[in-house]
Amino acid sequence: MIPVVPGTPRKRPTIRDVAREAGVSYATVSRVLNGRDWVSPAAVRSVREAIARTGYTANPHARSLATGRSGSIAFLLTEPQHLLFEDPNFSVLLRGAAQALSDRSLTLILMIASTPAERSRAVAYLSGGHVDGVLLVSPHSGDPLLAQLVDAGVPIVACGRVLGYEQTISSVAADDRSGARSAVEHLIAAGCTRIATITGPPDMAGGVDRLQGYQDALTAHGLPLDPSRVEHGDWSRESGAAAMQTLLTRAPALDAVFAASDAMAAGALRVLRAAGRDVPGDVRVVGFDDSGLAATTEPPLTTVRHPLDRVADEMVRLLTDVIAGRTPLSITVPTSLVVRASSPAP
Amino acid sequence: MIPVVPGTPRKRPTIRDVAREAGVSYATVSRVLNGRDWVSPAAVRSVREAIARTGYTANPHARSLATGRSGSIAFLLTEPQHLLFEDPNFSVLLRGAAQALSDRSLTLILMIASTPAERSRAVAYLSGGHVDGVLLVSPHSGDPLLAQLVDAGVPIVACGRVLGYEQTISSVAADDRSGARSAVEHLIAAGCTRIATITGPPDMAGGVDRLQGYQDALTAHGLPLDPSRVEHGDWSRESGAAAMQTLLTRAPALDAVFAASDAMAAGALRVLRAAGRDVPGDVRVVGFDDSGLAATTEPPLTTVRHPLDRVADEMVRLLTDVIAGRTPLSITVPTSLVVRASSPAP
DNA sequence: ACAGGGCCTGTGACCGGTTACAGTGAGCCT
DNA sequence: AGGCTCACTGTAACCGGTCACAGGCCCTGT
């Protein structure tokens, strides 16, 4: 291929080298490379051959400079790291995004912005033109980072609706409300009447919507809404355990728990068993997400399947749309109930 | 800040805008930006102010084009995805690398190259000048991808020694051999004499070295090396379970198992319990890595702590060295035994 | 015969930085 | 006074692409 003089730092061929080699102008080479305009078959062939002979690949920075596009997308994490990395959901989403981006010849830049210093660095980086767009993993509506990015005009797609930014930021969410409703209706169908819930943070759409679905189900079946049966967590196992602790003292008569995440459900399971309640005998438990966790808890969790691979794919699709200038859009992917031993079919 | 005419696409200020604003030449602005050469305090001040006034940030692509550096590093996964994403070790390493890179103002590009198509795309991308270097996560020595990257002159640092490339590719590894040895010596001290091992793939240094450490311990204490007590796995839980199955039929008298990863140890635990062996009563089990898994198995695993956060940090340090032109170097970080219930202290 | 259009190609002006080089003036020494 | 260094600054030439624009050539229609 390229004759390498030993000891000499190997110099990459440029578009002009290829042009000289092919006996055409460098503009023609560029045309062949990008499939633009009309180029004669003969020229195409000789350029192709010259490229093969020289081992030419385009310099990505020069291209980015000229086109104004970088070909990379940031995958932005704003949560304290442990929450995200311990969460199998997160892995699925990351893998899905990497896949979807790679399919479109885009690359994934991973950014972690949990400390204040990291956050301001992230804003500078993201609004500095390094990336074409941002995939936002777990948006809290009040986050100033959001406002700064929106202000800088960076294309964003969030995982989950962003409260207060519905018209500005595209998002992809599970059908949280109806998923939660079907989970709770499953419990009602099994004869439960004193159903508690451990829901997510009130500043995240997922938390709000899943709580709403819980309430929908209760009212639709004439059951009372008892605020002492509602607790908030931060999606983590620990917060689920803590919430369950509180619920047990505040509403000891509960006969079912709907947790807005599998991790919180797992925490709840542990506390219930420690308190001597049999699952599902005394208390039925349903989670949300159908993460890797759900099948391995004891007993395995009945849960609402949240198709995160699908979500990741849609996020990337939407982001390329936003970059192309289309208006923001929020879309929803359907969920489905997965029945396991923690709340078997009635 | 920047006066934005509504409806006009906002144009970012360039270095020449700043120069005009500050009343100096653009070379001076560049000098202030990079802290090069001598610049008068007065000029520095007026440039600083002009930057603040215009909200200028340098165009990264122009900078990369001029300097030949991209400021980004690839984090390359070559294993089938599920192996890596299910593995808590992987998360720790990724988080550590992201942190270490961010501290040096470098960005992390995540590349997954498991299918053949992805692999060739990855090679083209990585040798195409998009990144300054590569962090290689789980190198198999025969992998053609390795040869191609080395051939293209891409700076690489691997996690774990790369067999056959010791002189070419820098690497950071745990002290696998002595870690394994101390684990097995812990079992010997507890009175075990028929110790089996589930080790890693023979084309990975971690597998080879941990097996070597196991053998070191046995010979040092005058115990026989019985090949029927050795099985290979691929680090995963499933492979650990399968290996344990085989060991139980082939060497049913075993009284301890040293597994080269926590995941394999967890698989082994499950099979042992299913076979009616009490752990640690009948069989003691020791793992390797001290991953998140180890503390949550039943019983919790005694294991060798593998400080992956530290490894990630050293990998990044080494990579910057390699990029700067220093010769390849393999370094080792120490391990330590963490004693839990699966093999309590004698 | 010549105007006009469809193909195809080359020139040159960008994109927005970095940096080699030349130069300027002030201060100091001999 | 002349030469020299030192501290600083500006000009211009890159880096390696993209793309608007201006032709050139050949074929067709009148």
Side-chain angles (χ1 to χ4, degrees), chain A residues 58-304:
Chain A
N59 180 317
H61 308 122
R63 178 170 281 173
S64 292
L65 177 58
T67 59
R69 283 229 181 313
S70 72
S72 48
I73 298 293
F75 189 89
L76 178 61
L77 308 177
T78 55
E79 292 282 300
Q81 305 172 10
H82 66 275
L83 267 181
L84 289 161
F85 276 97
E86 269 177 12
D87 186 350
N89 283 323
F90 162 73
S91 295
V92 175
L93 196 68
L94 179 58
R95 189 200 321 186
Q99 184 66 58
L101 288 172
S102 158
D103 289 348
R104 291 168 174 78
S105 309
L106 293 168
T107 51
L108 187 154
I109 292 188
L110 183 69
M111 299 221 70
I112 299 175
S114 36
T115 69
E118 286 171 341
R119 295 167 69 84
S120 71
R121 204 152 49 185
V123 170
Y125 185 85
L126 298 174
S127 33
H130 286 84
V131 299
D132 296 340
V134 176
L135 297 170
L136 189 56
V137 174
S138 108
H140 288 262
S141 57
D143 197 330
L145 195 133
L146 268 179
Q148 293 173 286
L149 291 180
V150 168
D151 211 51
V154 183
I156 307 180
V157 172
C159 176
R161 248 173 47 240
V162 193
L163 302 173
Y165 288 89
E166 282 87 349
Q167 308 308 318
T168 337
I169 298 181
S170 289
S171 64
V172 180
D175 193 352
D176 290 309
R177 186 162 173 178
S178 78
R181 175 173 176 156
S182 71
V184 176
E185 286 184 329
H186 160 85
L187 292 169
I188 294 172
C192 300
T193 53
R194 297 176 304 280
I195 305 172
T197 189
I198 303 174
T199 189
D203 63 345
M204 294 179 74
V208 175
D209 292 351
R210 292 175 195 181
L211 177 58
Q212 189 66 56
Y214 159 85
Q215 293 168 338
D216 288 352
L218 295 187
T219 40
H221 292 79
L223 293 171
L225 296 180
D226 180 349
S228 75
R229 296 206 185 110
V230 177
E231 263 299 301
H232 288 269
D234 65 3
W235 310 115
S236 74
R237 187 188 192 102
E238 290 69 34
S239 74
M244 193 68 240
Q245 224 33 291
T246 311
L247 287 172
L248 277 180
T249 60
R250 212 166 56 196
L254 55 85
D255 58 7
V257 178
F258 164 60
S261 80
D262 286 344
M264 294 196 296
L269 274 183
R270 189 161 48 77
V271 169
L272 283 170
R273 286 159 59 96
R277 311 278 182 117
D278 180 58
V279 176
D282 303 328
V283 180
R284 285 169 169 257
V285 175
V286 176
F288 203 112
D289 286 338
D290 196 25
S291 66
L293 221 71
T296 64
T297 53
E298 190 40 44
L301 269 176
T302 290
T303 188
V304 179

